[in-house]
Amino acid sequence: MGLDITVLIADWPWLSEVPAGQRLERLRDAWYDDGTGLWDADAPSVDAGWVRPRGTAGERFALYEFARTCGSFKPHFWAGHRWEVFRDQVDEPVRADVDALLLGLFWPGPDGLSEPTDPEVFGDDPSHSGLLLARPPDGVRELAAIWERTRPALAGLEAAFTAHAAGPDGWIGDFGAFRDLLEGWGTVVTEAAARSWALVGLSE
């Protein structure tokens, strides 16, 4: 089946009402609650964009669906892989900004050791299985600021991507797919920052 990812933004005052070690359970309970309508036969469905839960849950969290990914983590993994292949062809400071953006979201870095999970959100309990991403509001605002610098520079990456990273193997084989994925993340961090909400990625 492979690894999946569900990307959510969550109301920080509501989430932080409970101790850090209990917050992930609180968010999961709200997400799985029948009152959200997310699990109904006529549940809201989008090809890409925001999915808003019904009822009071709509004031607590929202989910984002990335275009043409079917909820799989593979496109995000492959975006990081493609970036590793051509990042040396990108001039500073754009390379530094894209590095920081991807490291803050899903890329483990060239050494494979970075983890985008800030213990401020859910603590550092190793029993928190399935947690792929956790950023508190301050971290989200930093990512949103990086995205605002990166967004106008994206078009300038196409030549380097096409020359060095494009290929038929795996996901994100052309620059359009790479750009679309990053723009999806840009939408997420911009919305979360505007609300001062946390950002979470879960594999269920």
Side-chain angles (χ1 to χ4, degrees), residues 36-100:
T36 64
L38 297 174
W39 312 105
D40 296 347
D42 62 345
S45 177
V46 298
D47 293 329
W50 292 105
V51 179
R52 312 282 181 178
R54 298 170 186 160
T56 57
E59 301 173 0
R60 296 173 178 168
F61 72 94
L63 297 87
Y64 188 83
E65 296 286 352
F66 288 85
R68 298 179 298 280
T69 67
C70 301
S72 173
F73 185 75
K74 286 182 181 179
H76 309 273
F77 167 83
W78 275 96
H81 172 71
R82 303 291 186 191
W83 174 242
E84 286 179 28
V85 172
F86 83 98
R87 63 187 288 274
D88 288 343
Q89 311 303 318
V90 178
D91 293 336
E92 294 278 4
V94 176
R95 182 171 68 233
D97 278 341
V98 178
D99 274 353

Side-chain angles (χ1 to χ4, degrees), residues 16 22 48 53:
S16 59
Q22 299 174 22

